[in-house]
Amino acid sequence: KSSVQTIGEEQIQNPYTELLVLKGHQDIVRFLVQIDDCRFASAGDDGIIFLWNAQTGEKLFELHGHTHKITAIAPFSSSDASEEKKHLILTASADRTVIVWDCSSGRQVQKVSCFHSTVKCLTVLQRLDVWLSGGSDLCVWNRKLDLLCKTSHLTDAGISALVELPKNCVAAAVGRELIIFRLVASNDGSEGWNVLEVKRLVDHQDNILSLVSVNDLIFVTGSHVGELIVWDALDWTKQASECNFWDSSVHPDVQPEIKLSQSPNETSVQHLTSDEECVFAAVGKGIYVYNLQMKRVIACQRTAHDSSVLHIERLPNRQLISCSEDGSVRIWELREKQQLPAEPVPTGFFNMWGFGRANKQANQAAKKMQENTPVYFLELVGDLIGHSSAVQMFLYFGELGLATCSADHLVILWKDGERESRLRSLTLFQKLAQNGDLQLKF
Amino acid sequence: MISAPDVVAFTREEELEDELCSEPPLPEEYSVPLFPFASHGANPWAKVASSKFTRDFILISEFSEQVGPQPLLTIPDDAKVSGTFDLNYFSLRIMSVDYQASFVGHPPGSAYPKLNFVEDSKVVLGDSKEGAFAYVHHLTLYDLEARGFVRPFCMAYISADEHKIMQQFQELSAEFSKASECLKTGNRKAFANELEKKLKDLDYTRTVLHNETEIQKKANDKGYYTTQAIEKANELASVEKSIIEHQDLLKQIRSYPYRKLKRSDFHPYEPEGALDQANAGCDQDLTTSDLADPGETQLYAHVPSYTPKLIKAKSAKCFDKKLKTLEELCDIYFFTQTLDQLHQIERTFRGDVCYLLTDQISRALLKQQSVTNFLFEDVSFLDEKPPEKQYRGCQGLSQDAVDRKCSEESPAPKVVISLGSYKSSVECVPIKMEQEIEDPEEPKMTESIMFEHQENLDYLDADIKGSISSGESIEVLGTEKSASGLTKSESQASLPVSPSPQVGRSKVGSRRTVSEDSIEVLSTCPSESLIPEDFKASYPSAINEEPYVDDEEGGLHFTPKLNPDNADEQEDISKRENLVQVDSACCIGKESPNFLEPLPDLGQKPCNEDGVVRIPPQPYRQVEPGLRGSFGSFPSHDGISGGLLPYELDSRYLTGSREVSKSSLDECSDSTSYISSAASTCSDRTPSPAHLACQASERHKKKAGQNALRFIRQYPFAHPAIYSLLSGRTLIVLGEEEAIVKKLVTALSIFVPNCGIYAKPVKHWVTSPLHVVDFQKWKLIGLQRMVSPAGVNMLHTLSRYSRYVSILDADSKTLRCPLYKGTLVSRLADHRTQIKRGSTYYMHVQSILTQLCSKAFLFTFCHHLHLPISEREPEESVVNRRMNFLKLQLGLANEDIKIVQYLAELLKLQYIQEPGQGVNPLLRFDYVPSFLYKI
């Protein structure tokens, strides 16, 4: 009955055959952030931040300091050439504080508690060595946690997302508005910055939920009603927009029935990610791939999950991972559809895509489209089932594996069983050599 | 409880058997009698049918100064056990071979009576006529009212099977030493109390006498003393002397544990974990003997308030008073402790010796499998202390360091030819005298030095002679049978009062006083005159072939035939031979031929018709890993009548094969084995748990084995289910009824590999929905099926996590799990198996799992299977090599590979685990399709 694509128990391409459950949190775990090659932090509604070793799953530190849930977290590593690289993390909480933690010692470095509202987003501008906090106003801080400048009170709802743009600019999503700020060096001091509001963009119909910078020229925003707008990063003009993910006419493979069932909630753009060519949007339960060059959606999976997709990420190997409120994590691969104009497309294939009887007309339309452009599709290559509640976020660690965090208070580390087995053998023989057990005893 | 092993064979397993094979029995005329003599009530194991008791028991006897040897109590305390066996006579026998009580009382040149802290002696005694063989442990308890303050006691383990006594000698000795130590500790406490009371009495008496004298003095001031006054003064003087004597005794008894503690290998009996204190006591200042072991001073400290009595000058004659009972001699707490220990000994050594041996051997072997044994072995077994520790407490004064080393490293039995010890005992005579020095501080120092000296002597002796000669010595004292021309009574008497060897005896005695435990094999074999001549001729070479243990290298060597030292030895031997010939009546002189005589042909006929004990004790010793390799070289030495080694090996193999054949019998038909236990007349032959701690788990094993057997017969899809367990996929047994589910879980639990050295990852009964964490923790779960909405929720989670689990539905009898096409499990769980007993099946499973473990071990620890040989070697070729090894070398097919791979992962995890930090539980899984199996 469910139109969600499923994959059998045989998943050859799924490398994750080992899992480690990391227990510690006492409430929903919402954030995962990578600190360096083998460490990451998790934080959530219990106000505790845990530092983990991504290889062994060892709990490194348990950071206590916030009294309310964590609302934002950002890594902040120093780039001082003089000293060794120092890894810090910034955490903002509903208790209206921001704390800076030292990841190597697990100690609280400093705490700022002069906020008038909860800080909802944190952004580090590595280039300028400052960090921004966004709540009901936007503040600029330096490394020593001196407040450099701040904007006037913007809105009660506060800034929901921040993204760095070229030329010392930042885009802040405030409700349905997108405000561009520019940081300018103050005339008097050496280290002073002033923040100026440059432009307000009001093209979105509803609250902006996601904001992502694609490259130095383009950034993309997505809103609650499923609008996706591509902006020029330099002059902040609208380059393209896609506002009808639910509109069947745009897509070859959309059925009219589905349109009726679509509610605004199910079309909200929850999360965006991108590579050089495409923007990947988590829209409602589905995943859409928007090609920036062609300025259209090239592939989509309307019902990729049983419920809202919360986070998606693009892997270097053309794979895409999504996690959802239904508690599962799925691995997709963007594949080019075989150009087989002569052969009729097997219905089974379309079944997989979520529409029952192959619509002849749609099929015809599709064929027309295929003539000049390659057609892509997202194929499910594996799913990870472990969490018993919504998977809030995940963090891809390359060959070390994948960390997922969930509302069931757990963080799960998914690993490649083959690789782990090999590593264990290596450790084993190292230990054998160390113990001198390799020598023959007589 | 006591007769449990017997009962089991007839009830539980029988019922089940009937239930399982419903085939009609074969008509009687076609059935072949399994054992030809079965109808006569005999059994193939009944070697000694003449014994008058039904099973092994422990006897405590005393050599009473009033009535002579008398039995005190038996364990188990049941008249049926000893049956018609003459306990009085046997007490006489065992008490008559006591060598430990040498001399107590006033030593010459000493003003005060001395307590002699004698070591227990350990003797093996056989009485073929009675069909009884005994390990006899003599000990001395102190009693202020007894003659010389000592009361000789003995504890004897009596069995109809001489092999058992001989082969379990080391274990028996260790266990009895513990019990004895406990008893003696209690006795010292009681004795000290008694002394204190006596001192108070004396003190009081003195005061009274003193007052009386004063009064008399005042009463007559005539200037001369009446006889009365002189008498009083004498009396006073004797009381004074008595006080000093008793104080000295008290000092001695209190200094005892402290003196003992100086020896590193002595572990005093500790009531409840006061060991640390005791150890701390070792390092304390030695100046005053009052600073005795804190543990014991504490014991002595709480003396209830006591009203002193006046002591009459003339004490009553010893025959008028009633001697203290054993309970009175010993603090009640320690007495009950000792009894508990003895009961445990009785339980431990119950059963056939081959069972005990096999158990010990397999235990010792398993202990060596330190890398893999956690997988399928009992947790309780792994928790056990290493065997060396068990022996430690009992070594006492006798075992010096050299000896300990020898005994631990030697795979051969501790054959101590008395040649060496005889010699060293001669040398030891002056040392013994050193012990009796007045100064409480001085003697200890000298003593310890002397001990060292003596050790060195012994060591030297051992070195030169190429024999292990320190520590315990085995002496064979031949007592003549009536057949040899002497009368019975003479043969009895000849033990302690043998015609001539006063010199020899005192030497032996003094030596014992110093340090020795002695193992004496008293055989009622024909006298020396009957020993064939060729035996005598052969014994020097037998000595040459003795295993020589070099404690430095820990290796085993044979002294080459032309060892330069041998010249000495030969001389020595010839001297001794002369001695033997000159003084043929001397029982000590006889020991050597008697002892050596059976050596050459031990391998051929370990037991003689007349039931004479000839086999030296041969405890199973844990073989050092390095020694295993050298086993292969034994047969080559074997050719030249290789001392005891061939026999040792033989016997081990013998017992091993005996056990094998027994188990194969079990497999074919149970009837033979139960006949044996049913018809058992001499001693309790049914295999019984060798260790009390394992008794419960033994029963559990049996039950689990039985349930498993039933499972594989009942469920055609047992194989994939077992495969799931072996490959680390969690199996969930789903059912409404707790009992059924738990039974299935128990049955299947024997196939579950452990993930660490903790408890098995088995959860018998769960009622709440499962999470991924549970699959990480448990590999076998019994889950309640509920008909409520919660149940629906639970089923939902199950289907959600279906990739991690196999589900066995106990209600609808279905199984959902991956396909299994391997061959391994079919050997493990053949539904047509002939095995009928649960314990047998359990053993069958264990053996196959052990095979599997060895495969996993090989696979895990082959370097090139996991890592590239050269830097540039691609990963694929390593993978190929790995698969080839699994398929071709290990002969695994299909899914069997996954089992070995999973076990290998567990081994790796266990090995690389850092001590202190637990294993991170991880869940490994495969993306493989599951299938639904139905009956």
Side-chain angles (χ1 to χ4, degrees):
Chain A
K1 283 175 207 168
S2 166
S3 55
V4 178
Q5 187 188 344
T6 52
I7 183 165
E9 280 166 325
E10 210 164 355
Q11 302 175 9
I12 304 150
Q13 283 174 287
N14 190 345
Y16 301 108
T17 54
E18 198 173 299
L19 66 82
L20 268 171
V21 177
L22 312 182
K23 284 191 274 190
H25 282 287
Q26 283 139 34
D27 209 334
I28 300 173
V29 192
R30 289 185 193 274
F31 303 99
L32 292 174
V33 65
Q34 184 167 357
I35 295 162
D36 55 18
D37 288 344
C38 64
R39 287 185 297 171
F40 69 95
S42 65
D45 287 3
D46 54 4
I48 310 167
I49 301 112
F50 285 95
L51 298 191
W52 307 94
N53 182 326
Q55 172 55 41
T56 61
E58 188 190 345
K59 189 190 287 174
L60 302 170
F61 294 110
E62 198 174 324
L63 311 178
H64 291 271
H66 288 297
T67 54
H68 287 74
K69 65 178 187 177
I70 310 285
T71 51
I73 183 165
F76 188 24
S77 53
S78 71
S79 47
D80 283 351
S82 57
E83 50 191 287
E84 59 201 276
K85 203 164 181 182
K86 208 173 172 186
H87 294 285
L88 302 173
I89 45 171
L90 302 167
T91 54
S93 159
D95 60 8
R96 296 185 188 181
T97 58
V98 169
I99 297 180
V100 185
W101 308 92
D102 184 353
C103 294
S104 48
S105 66
R107 277 204 296 271
Q108 181 176 324
V109 177
Q110 217 164 344
K111 184 172 182 172
V112 190
S113 45
C114 59
F115 295 97
H116 299 297
S117 68
T118 302
V119 175
K120 287 185 175 165
C121 50
L122 292 166
T123 303
V124 175
L125 305 183
Q126 214 54 261
R127 207 158 32 96
L128 306 175
D129 205 26
V130 296
W131 56 277
L132 311 178
S133 67
S136 60
D137 49 13
L138 182 74
C139 304
V140 183
W141 310 79
N142 69 2
R143 178 168 291 278
K144 293 171 191 135
L145 267 77
D146 301 322
L147 180 62
L148 300 177
C149 56
K150 62 188 274 185
T151 61
S152 56
H153 183 79
L154 296 166
T155 160
D156 283 336
I159 298 167
S160 58
L162 273 173
V163 71
E164 186 187 0
L165 299 177
K167 294 184 181 172
N168 294 356
C169 289
V170 220
V174 183
R176 64 180 63 177
E177 292 182 349
L178 192 66
I179 306 175
I180 310 292
F181 293 100
R182 172 170 282 160
L183 288 164
V184 285
S186 58
N187 343 344
D188 53 331
S190 53
E191 225 205 338
W193 291 97
N194 280 326
V195 60
L196 300 174
E197 184 181 321
V198 185
K199 197 165 185 181
R200 266 178 200 248
L201 305 165
V202 285
D203 295 74
H204 276 295
Q205 303 295 311
D206 207 336
N207 287 342
I208 299 169
L209 295 181
S210 48
L211 184 60
V212 68
S213 165
V214 177
N215 52 32
D216 277 355
L217 301 171
I218 295 165
F219 72 97
V220 185
T221 55
S223 82
H224 190 63
V225 288
E227 303 153 304
L228 185 118
I229 299 177
V230 182
W231 306 90
D232 189 309
L234 296 172
D235 57 8
W236 318 299
T237 52
K238 193 156 107 182
Q239 286 198 333
S241 75
E242 182 78 47
C243 55
N244 36 16
F245 285 114
W246 64 93
D247 191 347
S248 59
S249 63
V250 185
H251 308 291
D253 52 358
V254 169
Q255 270 186 299
E257 296 96 335
I258 294 170
K259 185 182 164 188
L260 295 173
S261 66
Q262 301 274 318
S263 68
N265 199 23
E266 286 182 331
T267 57
S268 70
V269 181
Q270 300 281 349
H271 190 243
L272 289 170
T273 188
S274 70
D275 58 9
E276 284 298 304
E277 294 169 16
C278 301
V279 173
F280 304 89
V283 182
K285 294 175 185 174
I287 300 169
Y288 293 81
V289 183
Y290 182 84
N291 190 296
L292 291 168
Q293 236 135 48
M294 289 185 271
K295 299 199 172 169
R296 65 179 191 85
V297 172
I298 54 162
C300 78
Q301 193 59 256
R302 254 167 209 292
T303 44
H305 284 272
D306 283 322
S307 78
S308 293
V309 180
L310 295 177
H311 194 88
I312 54 170
E313 209 151 304
R314 172 92 176 127
L315 306 190
N317 55 355
R318 283 190 78 76
Q319 283 183 341
L320 189 68
I321 298 180
S322 63
C323 68
S324 148
E325 276 180 359
D326 65 6
S328 67
V329 177
R330 292 183 161 207
I331 306 166
W332 308 88
E333 193 161 292
L334 186 64
R335 286 191 184 160
E336 216 166 298
K337 198 183 285 180
Q338 293 290 313
Q339 293 282 6
L340 297 165
E343 271 181 54
V345 186
T347 50
F349 174 77
F350 284 97
N351 275 334
M352 209 168 70
W353 279 59
F355 63 129
R357 287 161 282 122
N359 190 319
K360 285 253 169 164
Q361 283 177 323
N363 216 348
Q364 294 299 325
K367 271 187 181 168
K368 270 181 216 160
M369 303 287 278
Q370 281 165 8
E371 278 163 18
N372 45 7
T373 55
V375 175
Y376 295 91
F377 68 100
L378 282 170
E379 196 192 328
L380 183 61
V381 294
D383 61 348
L384 307 176
I385 293 173
H387 289 291
S388 55
S389 189
V391 181
Q392 296 289 335
M393 197 181 173
F394 60 86
L395 199 60
Y396 179 70
F397 260 98
E399 58 175 6
L400 282 189
L402 183 76
T404 56
C405 67
S406 154
D408 62 5
H409 312 176
L410 298 178
V411 175
I412 296 183
L413 211 52
W414 303 84
K415 293 178 156 284
D416 180 351
E418 289 287 311
R419 183 180 173 273
E420 293 301 309
S421 171
R422 217 159 48 231
L423 283 177
R424 276 194 286 269
S425 284
L426 194 65
T427 324
L428 176 96
F429 287 109
Q430 277 165 357
K431 194 170 175 183
L432 271 174
Q434 213 175 58
N435 294 358
D437 288 347
L438 281 179
Q439 267 85 52
L440 290 170
K441 280 182 189 166
F442 284 110
Chain B
M1 175 66 196
I2 279 160
S3 56
D6 272 345
V7 173
V8 169
F10 289 108
T11 54
R12 294 270 166 265
E13 309 252 345
E14 265 323 85
E15 280 170 21
L16 215 95
E17 203 178 312
D18 290 344
E19 192 180 300
L20 288 170
C21 28
S22 48
E23 298 169 33
L26 212 62
E28 194 148 343
E29 57 268 32
Y30 296 118
S31 66
V32 180
L34 287 158
F35 183 70
F37 310 110
S39 51
H40 308 310
N43 73 71
W45 286 274
K47 275 170 293 189
V48 191
S50 61
S51 68
K52 291 168 181 155
F53 49 95
T54 51
R55 47 185 287 186
D56 297 3
F57 64 99
I58 295 170
L59 171 69
I60 300 182
S61 301
E62 185 201 355
F63 199 113
S64 161
E65 61 192 57
Q66 291 175 350
V67 296
Q70 58 170 350
L72 295 180
L73 56 105
T74 61
I75 292 164
D77 194 11
D78 186 357
K80 269 182 281 177
V81 169
S82 52
T84 57
F85 187 66
D86 188 349
L87 287 178
N88 279 312
Y89 170 69
F90 207 74
S91 294
L92 173 72
R93 288 293 313 272
I94 58 180
M95 286 314 290
S96 62
V97 294
D98 183 9
Y99 281 100
Q100 51 138 17
S102 51
F103 84 164
V104 189
H106 288 264
S110 161
Y112 306 124
K114 280 283 158 192
L115 288 180
N116 220 346
F117 297 109
V118 284
E119 288 308 310
D120 300 351
S121 82
K122 299 152 187 183
V123 176
V124 172
L125 180 134
D127 188 337
S128 60
K129 204 166 156 264
E130 292 286 316
F133 297 85
Y135 164 84
V136 187
H137 193 105
H138 293 102
L139 68 149
T140 309
L141 297 181
Y142 301 110
D143 182 357
L144 202 53
E145 287 151 27
R147 189 166 56 200
F149 307 128
V150 292
R151 302 267 302 267
F153 283 91
C154 86
M155 303 183 283
Y157 185 88
I158 301 165
S159 168
D161 184 2
E162 75 269 35
H163 288 281
K164 187 172 185 172
I165 302 290
M166 299 311 281
Q167 292 179 345
Q168 299 297 310
F169 179 83
Q170 204 65 39
E171 289 76 10
L172 279 168
S173 150
E175 293 302 316
F176 272 102
S177 298
K178 271 188 229 161
S180 156
E181 205 52 59
C182 176
L183 199 62
K184 287 197 288 186
T185 309
N187 171 247
R188 283 195 297 275
K189 189 192 168 190
F191 187 60
N193 281 344
E194 208 185 340
L195 273 171
E196 274 174 357
K197 282 182 192 170
K198 181 79 178 236
L199 273 174
K200 278 182 188 155
D201 289 346
L202 286 169
D203 205 41
Y204 177 68
T205 315
R206 184 177 60 179
T207 326
V208 171
L209 281 174
H210 193 73
N211 288 345
E212 281 176 10
T213 325
E214 288 300 308
I215 291 162
Q216 273 186 349
K217 260 188 208 163
K218 277 177 193 157
N220 67 68
D221 36 6
K222 289 164 194 160
Y224 63 91
Y225 295 107
T226 58
T227 45
Q228 214 181 6
I230 291 167
E231 237 170 61
K232 273 275 182 278
N234 280 342
E235 211 172 306
L236 190 61
S238 78
V239 168
E240 298 273 9
K241 185 168 176 272
S242 183
I243 286 176
I244 293 167
E245 279 178 10
H246 281 84
Q247 272 169 346
D248 193 64
L249 282 175
L250 188 61
K251 209 179 268 179
Q252 285 179 49
I253 195 81
R254 279 183 170 164
S255 71
Y256 170 79
Y258 166 67
R259 193 195 292 204
K260 289 275 274 189
L261 273 175
K262 281 195 296 174
R263 298 197 56 90
S264 58
D265 52 357
F266 172 72
H267 287 252
Y269 177 77
E270 293 298 328
E272 241 94 35
L275 198 71
D276 292 352
Q277 278 184 10
N279 285 342
C282 294
D283 309 321
Q284 279 178 9
D285 198 0
L286 314 180
T287 41
T288 47
S289 51
D290 291 346
L291 273 176
D293 163 39
E296 284 214 12
T297 17
Q298 207 178 8
L299 291 175
Y300 299 139
H302 310 289
V303 183
S305 59
Y306 174 69
T307 16
K309 293 190 293 277
L310 193 67
I311 292 175
K312 291 271 162 56
K314 298 273 190 291
S315 63
K317 279 275 166 258
C318 68
F319 287 103
D320 302 341
K321 68 188 179 222
K322 186 181 157 288
L323 282 172
K324 287 194 184 68
T325 62
L326 191 55
E327 287 98 317
E328 286 165 344
L329 273 179
C330 181
D331 183 85
I332 190 71
Y333 169 78
F334 290 94
F335 182 70
T336 47
Q337 285 281 309
T338 312
L339 280 190
D340 286 350
Q341 285 186 21
L342 290 176
H343 275 289
Q344 194 175 326
I345 291 171
E346 194 273 323
R347 274 194 292 264
T348 307
F349 292 95
R350 196 187 290 173
D352 195 85
V353 66
C354 75
Y355 179 84
L356 291 174
L357 273 180
T358 323
D359 194 71
Q360 279 162 8
I361 290 168
S362 59
R363 245 156 220 287
L365 288 174
L366 271 173
K367 286 229 164 68
Q368 289 172 37
Q369 310 292 318
S370 53
V371 179
T372 55
N373 60 9
F374 74 93
L375 282 176
F376 291 106
E377 293 312 320
D378 266 333
V379 185
S380 58
F381 153 71
L382 292 166
D383 284 344
E384 264 176 40
K385 276 181 277 172
E388 296 95 310
K389 276 196 175 171
Q390 291 180 356
Y391 291 124
R392 287 191 77 181
C394 62
Q395 307 279 339
L397 219 62
S398 68
Q399 293 271 72
D400 36 88
V402 182
D403 182 40
R404 276 167 52 84
K405 248 185 181 162
C406 288
S407 60
E408 271 167 26
E409 288 174 5
S410 161
K414 260 297 301 299
V415 188
V416 182
I417 305 298
S418 43
L419 179 72
S421 59
Y422 180 75
K423 183 136 189 287
S424 62
S425 69
V426 177
E427 290 156 358
C428 281
V429 178
I431 296 165
K432 191 224 105 204
M433 294 308 169
E434 296 291 336
Q435 209 174 358
E436 331 290 345
I437 296 180
E438 305 293 89
D439 194 321
E441 181 194 354
E442 259 299 303
K444 277 149 214 153
M445 301 304 288
T446 34
E447 196 186 344
S448 69
I449 292 165
M450 285 307 169
F451 271 128
E452 265 177 45
H453 177 57
Q454 194 225 323
E455 273 167 28
N456 288 342
L457 272 180
D458 277 0
Y459 181 73
L460 233 76
D461 260 7
D463 233 347
I464 292 164
K465 300 240 167 53
S467 72
I468 315 153
S469 67
S470 57
E472 300 154 70
S473 66
I474 300 177
E475 295 174 49
V476 182
L477 299 185
T479 59
E480 269 79 359
K481 237 184 170 178
S482 31
S484 70
L486 289 165
T487 60
K488 189 83 185 173
S489 59
E490 267 173 331
S491 83
Q492 289 298 320
S494 76
L495 283 169
V497 227
S498 49
S500 74
Q502 284 310 324
V503 194
R505 267 202 69 225
S506 69
K507 276 170 193 164
V508 171
S510 62
R511 169 136 175 87
R512 279 201 196 85
T513 321
V514 178
S515 77
E516 294 306 308
D517 275 2
S518 65
I519 304 166
E520 306 191 31
V521 182
L522 294 178
S523 59
T524 49
C525 73
S527 77
E528 202 240 344
S529 57
L530 298 179
I531 297 168
E533 214 36 51
D534 53 357
F535 282 141
K536 277 185 195 165
S538 69
Y539 79 78
S541 71
I543 289 169
N544 287 344
E545 292 302 319
E546 259 173 35
Y548 171 76
V549 174
D550 189 334
D551 55 290
E552 292 308 312
E553 285 176 37
L556 181 72
H557 303 279
F558 291 93
T559 19
K561 272 220 102 151
L562 291 173
N563 194 320
D565 291 337
N566 273 13
D568 259 354
E569 201 182 323
Q570 299 276 7
E571 264 181 42
D572 213 289
I573 289 156
S574 56
K575 258 189 235 159
R576 287 178 47 74
E577 219 165 7
N578 288 337
L579 186 85
V580 170
Q581 273 150 13
V582 166
D583 193 356
S584 63
C586 164
C587 60
I588 288 162
K590 272 185 287 181
E591 71 194 60
S592 155
N594 257 357
F595 178 65
L596 290 168
E597 165 258 314
L599 295 189
D601 63 345
L602 271 173
Q604 288 87 41
K605 39 171 199 168
C607 107
N608 256 344
E609 294 81 15
D610 56 355
V612 171
V613 182
R614 289 180 187 175
I615 301 101
Q618 37 183 316
Y620 180 78
R621 287 289 184 181
Q622 189 168 345
V623 184
E624 285 285 303
L627 283 172
R628 264 175 292 168
S630 53
F631 262 116
S633 63
F634 287 170
S636 61
H637 294 265
D638 187 39
I640 346 156
S641 84
L644 271 174
L645 268 170
Y647 170 69
E648 163 67 4
L649 286 173
D650 266 358
S651 77
R652 224 188 283 172
Y653 292 155
L654 256 172
T655 45
S657 63
R658 223 192 293 168
E659 179 65 9
V660 166
S661 64
K662 189 164 178 270
S663 66
S664 66
L665 268 175
D666 259 0
E667 277 182 44
C668 316
S669 85
D670 276 357
S671 39
T672 42
S673 66
Y674 82 69
I675 281 172
S676 84
S677 56
S680 153
T681 51
C682 47
S683 77
D684 188 0
R685 303 291 182 188
T686 336
S688 67
H691 290 261
L692 185 69
C694 298
Q695 226 161 10
S697 75
E698 198 80 15
R699 211 168 296 133
H700 169 80
K701 276 179 198 170
K702 206 177 223 171
K703 211 175 138 202
Q706 194 55 255
N707 284 341
L709 207 50
R710 198 190 294 219
F711 173 75
I712 60 167
R713 288 206 177 105
Q714 226 167 10
Y715 292 84
F717 47 72
H719 289 184
I722 292 168
Y723 163 67
S724 282
L725 292 172
L726 286 176
S727 60
R729 190 181 170 111
T730 303
L731 181 73
I732 292 173
V733 181
L734 190 63
E736 273 180 61
E737 269 190 61
E738 190 175 348
I740 294 171
V741 170
K742 277 188 171 173
K743 209 168 192 173
L744 273 172
V745 171
T746 313
L748 288 165
S749 65
I750 62 172
F751 302 104
V752 181
N754 285 344
C755 298
I757 47 166
Y758 314 105
K760 280 224 173 207
V762 175
K763 184 92 182 156
H764 282 81
W765 187 243
V766 174
T767 52
S768 54
L770 297 168
H771 284 273
V772 72
V773 188
D774 298 315
F775 309 135
Q776 196 175 248
K777 219 184 320 176
W778 311 112
K779 293 296 167 198
L780 177 59
I781 304 173
L783 183 65
Q784 185 183 24
R785 181 203 298 277
M786 284 183 289
V787 217
S788 58
V792 175
N793 187 25
M794 184 142 58
L795 289 181
H796 175 72
T797 29
L798 274 190
S799 68
R800 181 179 164 80
Y801 292 124
S802 61
R803 67 179 58 172
Y804 305 120
V805 294
S806 300
I807 300 162
L808 176 66
D809 192 326
D811 300 330
S812 63
K813 305 239 190 292
T814 58
L815 174 72
R816 197 188 156 282
C817 77
L819 202 62
Y820 174 73
K821 295 192 297 287
T823 54
L824 217 147
V825 176
S826 58
R827 275 197 289 140
L828 194 63
D830 182 6
H831 69 275
R832 287 175 307 232
T833 179
Q834 294 298 312
I835 301 174
K836 292 197 174 65
R837 306 181 74 150
S839 48
T840 317
Y841 182 67
Y842 182 86
M843 282 189 244
H844 170 72
V845 169
Q846 273 315 93
S847 77
I848 289 187
L849 291 180
T850 309
Q851 263 179 30
L852 200 55
C853 282
S854 65
K855 282 181 180 173
F857 176 82
L858 261 183
F859 174 68
T860 315
F861 288 90
C862 278
H863 182 271
H864 297 337
L865 298 180
H866 303 280
L867 302 173
I869 295 170
S870 67
E871 293 272 313
R872 276 158 297 152
E873 194 183 23
E875 183 56 37
E876 293 85 70
S877 73
V878 181
V879 172
N880 275 340
R881 197 157 55 221
R882 189 156 58 215
M883 289 320 277
N884 274 339
F885 181 82
L886 286 168
K887 280 177 189 159
L888 305 175
Q889 251 82 2
L890 296 184
L892 300 169
N894 305 321
E895 277 78 21
D896 293 341
I897 289 173
K898 279 200 184 139
I899 297 178
V900 170
Q901 278 174 334
Y902 173 67
L903 295 182
E905 283 314 310
L906 291 181
L907 289 181
K908 282 186 214 167
L909 279 171
Q910 180 71 18
Y911 192 86
I912 64 178
Q913 177 204 354
E914 293 298 325
Q917 103 192 42
V919 194
N920 258 334
L922 50 84
L923 178 65
R924 284 173 64 81
F925 49 91
D926 295 303
Y927 298 103
V928 286
S930 288
F931 295 88
L932 190 71
Y933 294 86
K934 287 175 185 165
I935 282 191

